[in-house]
Amino acid sequence: MSERVRRPGPSVRTRVVEHFPEREVPREDRLITEEPLEIRVRAGALPPRRAWVTMRTPGHDFELAAGWLVHEGVADPAALTQVAYCTDTDLAPEQEFNVVTVTLTDAADLPHRHVSASAGSSACGVCGKDSVEDALTARTAAPWAGPRPHADVVRRLPDALRERQTLFERTGGVHAAGLADADGTLLVVREDVGRHNAVDKVVGARVLAGEPAAAACLVLSGRVGFELVQKAAASGVGSIVAVGAPTSLAARLAENAGIDLWGFTSPGRSVRYC
């Protein structure tokens, strides 16, 4: 009987040598785990189909799959009936916890770019789009109609997020995303080697908990790329607060989607772009 593969953790031990001008210090360190996750979709009586493969940090895999499907417009939150690790007998041992199947109540219309053996990196959420124009017409939810955080709340949000970045504290190599209400209370925080995966995970956490995917604010630990604004628009987020800068296309989409966009945010400063 083959040995059962241990479920991968979010970080792994490694040995390093830290070099200083006058000495070298051997010690143990930790690296953030990066492994592939294959997302399969089972709709109705049809057999499961591969929808996407992404590099991610293991943990909250079901939330990642649910959030990705919602953000890509493949399924409405109410259509998700089950998320589980695949148990097909033909899976290799190393695939045991790296393949997730999502069961939907209705037939899923996978965009043509997902029908083949597509894969994405941990850095890009729109790889494979035929054109920027196609990406700009991405599915969006209804605009956020509730209150949004004021500037004094905005400036506090990155530090609040940082306090809950436990994997970053251990490895220094992971992104974070959080959803917050207008008063600055963080509703959910997730970390991942991919910034877009972290956003999928926070929205997936809300969906699987039966909560609305939309929120007053999405808080990001780094820069704001177009694909992150696209996901915020798809789930109905009202504002984005980031530690870093947005790209030109991110600012353009945020303005078109009616999303407040804040960058370079710290306790003493934040820049509003739209």
Side-chain angles (χ1 to χ4, degrees), residues 202-214:
V202 293
V203 170
R206 298 275 288 173
V207 169
L208 295 183
E211 301 288 344

Side-chain angles (χ1 to χ4, degrees), residues 91-230:
L91 288 180
E94 62 270 15
Q95 293 178 294
E96 185 173 353
F97 293 106
N98 287 334
V99 181
V100 167
T101 299
V102 182
T103 301
L104 307 176
T105 56
D106 303 317
D109 183 19
L110 290 178
H112 70 84
R113 72 188 183 96
H114 299 312
V115 173
S116 63
S118 302
S121 75
S122 58
C124 176
V126 292
C127 296
K129 289 288 188 183
D130 291 337
S131 66
V132 170
E133 288 72 22
D134 289 344
L136 283 171
T137 59
R139 170 183 178 271
T140 59
W144 177 255
R148 306 182 188 202
H150 294 290
D152 57 340
V153 174
V154 165
R155 290 191 297 271
R156 298 198 303 265
L157 283 168
D159 278 356
L161 183 73
R162 180 67 179 83
E163 291 176 0
R164 293 174 60 175
Q165 290 178 240
T166 57
L167 281 176
F168 182 83
E169 186 68 28
R170 298 171 70 185
T171 68
V174 67
H175 297 283
L179 291 175
D181 63 20
D183 295 328
T185 300
L186 286 167
L187 307 173
V188 59
V189 173
R190 294 290 183 264
E191 295 178 274
D192 197 277
V193 69
R195 55 173 57 90
H196 67 287
N197 289 342
V199 176
D200 286 338
K201 285 181 176 181
V202 293
V203 170
R206 298 275 288 173
V207 169
L208 295 183
E211 301 288 344
C217 186
L218 172 66
V219 192
L220 303 173
S221 63
R223 68 176 179 84
V224 188
F226 165 82
E227 73 278 6
L228 302 183
V229 180
Q230 182 187 36

Side-chain angles (χ1 to χ4, degrees), residues 22 51 88 125 166 209 250 266 271:
E22 298 178 351
D88 288 359
T166 57
S266 66
V271 178

Side-chain angles (χ1 to χ4, degrees), residues 22-69:
E22 298 178 351
R23 68 188 191 279
E24 299 177 3
V25 181
R27 63 176 176 86
E28 183 180 90
D29 203 350
R30 297 195 75 92
L31 297 175
I32 196 69
T33 306
E34 184 176 27
E35 291 199 357
L37 179 72
E38 179 179 336
I39 300 172
R40 297 179 181 180
V41 175
R42 177 189 288 114
L46 298 174
R49 291 185 294 167
R50 173 191 283 187
W52 190 240
V53 177
T54 186
M55 302 302 296
R56 99 304 188 186
T57 297
H60 306 290
D61 292 333
F62 296 172
E63 296 172 357
L64 171 55
W68 182 85
L69 288 170

